[in-house]
Amino acid sequence: MVIDWGMTLRKIIVYGALFILFMIAIAFLWALGVNAYLIALLSGGFLFIQYFFSDKLVLWSTGARILEENEAPRLHRIVENLSAEMGIPKPRIAVVQNDMPNAFATGRNYKHSVVAVTTGILNRLNEKEMEGVLAHELSHVKNRDMFVVTFASFIVSVISYIVYFAFTMLFSRDENNFGASMAAWFVSMLFSNTIGLIIINTVSRYREYGADRGSALATKNPDGLISALKKISGGEYRKEDAMGLESAKALCISPTGGAFMELFSSHPPLEKRIAALEKVKAEMYGY
């Protein structure tokens, strides 16, 4: 298997920067005199809740229903074959009653993983295209991307709290000053929705490139995923359908909404994903 060293290096830089941000946040709390036990409790508590319950919340909020094998033998067969090819246990399969063609994977580990597809994607893709999409989602499972995006969100949450705490101290010496508290809250929200969002979406975009590559290698057919992406990306769908997948947008194969610039998008542009897949195809076939 050919390794994309450029992509690997960029992922190391992004994930390394996340870890450094986390350590800086902890050091900042320590410098402010926050008790070490409180730091550990807050950090561990936030991470525990996000890691162990976020997948359940995603399935519940999207209305995903677990499918038994007799309900969708075709899907189960494809996922079983791809899981064996990738060397991972077969995850559970769920369906979401939603006309927007999309799919996502969730679950904190192999044992609790779930691959979900919408009725919209089932009605639009042929077998080879579905293989490409499902292999993409299984690559997320194999790469433990659920933990990666959870950790990124956790770091942003902790840093937002620190920003609020720091600006509360900066704006006022009076702990009961409501105006200072509101100003600190505004600054922390501004951070969360700008820099924090950029951090999370940068991680998400690298996850998508990695899952696309994993799909191409597992299926040995990059054209299947390329064709699927062209079919499901950029279409016009009901606002209600997009909102129905909002809680899973960072996990979906296709973005549920637009972004005015790439930095704020959870997914790479379609043309860049296709170009990356064409590169993988050239590596596979030697041209």
Side-chain angles (χ1 to χ4, degrees), residues 54-73:
S54 56
D55 58 329
K56 294 180 178 62
L57 290 172
V58 167
L59 293 176
W60 173 78
S61 61
T62 57
R65 182 178 67 85
I66 300 298
L67 288 172
E68 300 299 331
E69 190 164 354
N70 62 346
E71 294 181 274

Side-chain angles (χ1 to χ4, degrees), residues 21-226:
L21 275 173
F22 176 67
M23 296 308 295
I24 290 173
I26 296 301
F28 189 77
L29 282 174
W30 180 273
L32 288 173
V34 179
N35 186 281
Y37 292 109
L38 180 59
I39 294 175
L41 182 63
L42 287 173
S43 302
F46 285 146
L47 188 58
F48 176 86
I49 291 170
Q50 286 189 283
Y51 183 58
F52 282 94
F53 295 102
S54 56
D55 58 329
K56 294 180 178 62
L57 290 172
V58 167
L59 293 176
W60 173 78
S61 61
T62 57
R65 182 178 67 85
I66 300 298
L67 288 172
E68 300 299 331
E69 190 164 354
N70 62 346
E71 294 181 274
R74 170 193 168 210
L75 276 181
H76 277 271
R77 174 177 53 79
I78 295 173
V79 171
E80 185 172 4
N81 291 340
L82 288 170
S83 299
E85 175 69 25
M86 293 182 174
I88 60 174
K90 177 188 171 188
R92 291 178 295 164
I93 301 171
V95 65
V96 180
Q97 293 292 327
N98 191 307
D99 192 53
M100 186 176 193
N102 228 317
F104 61 88
T106 187
R108 62 183 182 270
N109 53 36
Y110 292 158
K111 184 178 178 181
H112 296 90
S113 61
V114 180
V115 170
V117 294
T118 65
T119 50
I121 205 169
L122 290 174
N123 295 332
R124 287 172 173 84
L125 301 189
N126 61 39
E127 182 134 338
K128 290 298 182 184
E129 291 164 343
M130 278 303 303
E131 283 183 358
V133 168
L134 291 168
H136 172 100
E137 298 307 332
L138 288 169
S139 293
H140 281 315
V141 174
K142 183 176 181 178
N143 298 335
R144 302 181 187 276
D145 284 335
M146 182 64 187
F147 174 77
V148 174
V149 75
T150 298
F151 187 60
S153 301
F154 161 70
I155 289 175
V156 169
S157 298
V158 170
I159 296 177
S160 296
Y161 169 77
I162 291 170
V163 168
Y164 171 78
F165 187 73
F167 275 88
T168 298
M169 295 178 64
L170 179 66
F171 290 154
S172 176
R173 297 176 184 175
D174 181 3
E175 295 181 358
N176 296 317
N177 189 312
F178 179 75
S181 180
M182 288 300 297
W185 174 82
F186 176 78
V187 172
S188 67
M189 289 296 294
L190 187 63
F191 168 85
S192 179
N193 287 285
T194 52
I195 298 174
L197 193 61
I198 289 172
I199 291 171
I200 293 171
N201 286 339
T202 299
V203 171
S204 179
R205 288 194 299 275
Y206 283 122
R207 289 173 53 255
E208 293 305 314
Y209 280 125
D212 285 349
R213 182 181 181 85
S215 171
L217 296 174
T219 61
K220 302 177 179 60
N221 178 29
D223 288 326
L225 182 58
I226 290 173

